[in-house]
Amino acid sequence: MGRKGAVVAGHICLDIIPRIPGGNVQARLTPGTLIEIGPALLSTGGLVSNTGCSLHTLGIDTRLMGKVGDDPFGRIILDLIRAQDAALTQNMIVVPGEVSSYTIVLSPPDADRSFLHCPGANHTFGADDLDCATLRDARLFHFGYPPVMERMYLDDGAELETMFRCAREAGVITSLDMVMPDPQGPSGRVDWRSILQRTLPHVDIFLPSLDELLVLLRREMPVSPQAADALLSEMAAQMLEWGAGIVVLKLGARGLYLRIGERGIAALPDAGWRERELWAPCFVPEPLVGTTGAGDATIAGFLAGVLRGQSVEAALTSAVAVGACNVEAADALSGVRSWDATQARVAAGWARQAVTVGVPGWAWDAGHALWIGPHDAFLRKRV
Ligand SMILES: Nc1ncnc2c1ncn2[C@@H]1O[C@H](COP(=O)(O)OP(=O)(O)OP(=O)(O)O)[C@@H](O)[C@H]1O
Ligand SMILES: [Mg+2]
């Protein structure tokens, strides 16, 4: 029997989002006060739910491997996922005695959001939680958010490396997403340079956002878009040197950058998947509603393209298309459409946002509606 689908593992939590009628509730929340609020919306958060359920919507046979406790919040998390499809929860890890992770989201209509977050079982997720038999039946393993999973960054990332080594040995394509570490917290104090150096040799596809990568490596934030653009090739080259096969950097509303080295990855032997440097502008959302989970959805679009055998140009386009669908809804999931509906939107000439690359050496490929970078083998052949 052939391998099928994806396993998505890592951070998962329950988001509790009370409806707040108005006024800066955080400022009024002083000791001894009571503030009346509306009913709470409950939804799952974290990449296991966001990227995992988006992959499912895109028609990929997906199994989720998040870790929850045997407690009421854990049961709500499982119920919410089961409501999408019971098969998604088959490999969820339920540990008696552990606490399920939850976030209380204070999101007043007229002020910035604040979060009260309990990491719970995400902090105890380790390589031994991974179900290797399930991995051996899958084509792809995607893991995310080690900066908010304590065991993954303590001990200089030994657990993260072990887990990716195991996944690699199971013969799957391996993929890693990051999240912003808390600069004041323990994850902001560990040496991410050394953690990435030991982990990336086992990672086929590495997809952090540029901002996350700069914070993790303690680099100064660029002062302008041009300065940020100038960092892309350099940061990607570093990640390739440390061992990643494909580097995808999320750039928010400026789109998505991709770089592949000479080796590429074993699962994609085609010449189109080697020595590439591309940049996809965003599609224009109709309209822009909210960016919750945009990065996670964009990753799902890219991975779905890979699993469906698309070319690198098409997979990158699928990524930004799913990302733009995501921002058309307030939550992390309901904007994402089926694979066919997404591809049909692209084929129908969905407008893209104009983006100019602030560094020389890039050429616009009108056929694919992508920028081609100076490290791209195909561009070099053309000129
Ligand atoms: N305004 C927008 N219009 C269209 N697409 C967008 C917009 N903002 C973000 N996107 C899409 O979402 C992708 C990811 O955004 P971003 O770089 O913010 O990721 P992230 O930092 O991982 O976000 P998240 O907090 O969702 O994990 C972008 O590469 C783009 O494709
Ligand atoms: Mg993200």
Side-chain angles (χ1 to χ4, degrees):
M1 198 184 75
R3 289 168 175 261
K4 47 182 188 173
V7 171
V8 180
H11 189 274
I12 190 158
C13 65
L14 177 68
D15 286 344
I16 303 170
I17 315 165
R19 183 151 52 75
I20 298 169
N24 186 346
V25 69
Q26 294 101 315
R28 285 163 50 217
L29 199 60
T30 50
T33 49
L34 181 148
I35 299 170
E36 197 176 308
I37 54 171
L41 184 75
L42 298 177
S43 72
T44 47
L47 82 311
V48 167
S49 130
N50 295 353
T51 304
C53 294
S54 295
L55 275 171
H56 172 73
T57 303
L58 295 168
I60 301 296
D61 187 344
T62 305
R63 295 288 181 275
L64 307 187
M65 250 183 231
K67 189 172 174 183
V68 296
D70 179 18
D71 55 7
F73 284 175
R75 285 190 281 281
I76 296 174
I77 289 173
L78 295 179
D79 281 348
L80 289 170
I81 298 171
R82 217 174 274 125
Q84 319 243 352
D85 188 334
L88 282 167
T89 59
Q90 272 170 19
N91 300 93
M92 283 290 290
I93 307 151
V94 183
V95 187
E98 293 248 12
V99 169
S100 300
S101 173
Y102 68 95
T103 306
I104 298 176
V105 183
L106 297 179
S107 183
D110 41 13
D112 235 357
R113 288 188 298 176
S114 305
F115 304 93
L116 295 166
H117 176 64
C118 165
N122 292 315
H123 266 0
T124 67
F125 194 112
D128 50 355
D129 283 312
L130 217 59
D131 166 11
C132 288
T134 302
L135 280 196
R136 281 191 288 271
D137 283 339
R139 288 180 58 209
L140 180 136
F141 169 69
H142 177 63
F143 183 85
Y145 298 5
V148 286
M149 304 179 77
E150 193 170 54
R151 257 179 91 191
M152 292 293 157
Y153 60 76
L154 290 185
D155 197 17
D156 207 24
E159 205 68 27
L160 187 66
E161 182 198 342
T162 304
M163 190 184 62
F164 268 93
R165 197 188 281 276
C166 289
R168 181 49 78 65
E169 280 162 11
V172 282
I173 300 172
T174 58
S175 165
L176 173 63
D177 184 15
M178 301 304 276
V179 76
M180 201 57 96
D182 173 1
Q184 258 80 56
S187 70
R189 288 192 292 269
V190 299
D191 182 5
W192 283 100
R193 175 175 290 270
S194 112
I195 296 177
L196 289 177
Q197 277 171 337
R198 68 192 290 175
T199 307
L200 290 183
H202 315 289
V203 174
D204 290 315
I205 312 178
F206 182 44
L207 322 98
S209 78
L210 175 65
D211 289 356
E212 287 157 8
L213 198 54
L214 293 171
V215 170
L216 288 167
L217 298 179
R218 301 206 175 94
R219 297 278 302 243
E220 266 176 49
M221 279 296 167
V223 289
S224 66
Q226 287 75 14
D229 297 355
L231 283 171
L232 289 170
S233 293
E234 180 204 330
M235 298 306 289
Q238 180 74 89
M239 298 306 112
L240 293 177
E241 197 190 311
W242 288 352
I246 299 174
V247 178
V248 177
L249 300 176
K250 288 164 283 173
L251 310 173
R254 282 178 60 75
L256 197 60
Y257 167 96
L258 170 139
R259 176 104 181 249
I260 311 178
E262 282 167 33
R263 280 179 300 113
I265 68 172
L268 299 168
D270 189 273
W273 285 91
R274 274 163 219 274
E275 265 195 276
R276 303 306 308 269
E277 184 170 41
L278 299 168
W279 183 329
C282 291
F283 285 95
V284 178
E286 299 161 2
L288 172 67
V289 178
T291 59
T292 301
D296 301 328
T298 301
I299 289 177
F302 185 75
L303 299 179
V306 167
L307 290 172
R308 285 172 172 275
Q310 283 194 314
S311 67
V312 64
E313 291 88 354
L316 202 59
T317 303
S318 297
V320 285
V322 177
C325 288
N326 163 284
V327 305
E328 292 176 337
D331 68 330
L333 295 179
S334 60
V336 176
R337 307 183 186 194
S338 72
W339 179 257
D340 287 347
T342 310
Q343 297 299 318
R345 258 186 116 175
V346 174
W350 188 5
R352 289 166 221 248
Q353 282 168 152
V355 54
T356 16
V357 183
V359 279
W362 287 77
W364 177 248
D365 175 351
H368 294 110
L370 297 169
W371 286 97
I372 316 183
H375 301 95
D376 191 284
F378 283 56
L379 176 71
R380 284 210 305 272
K381 267 184 222 143
R382 229 170 52 173
V383 290

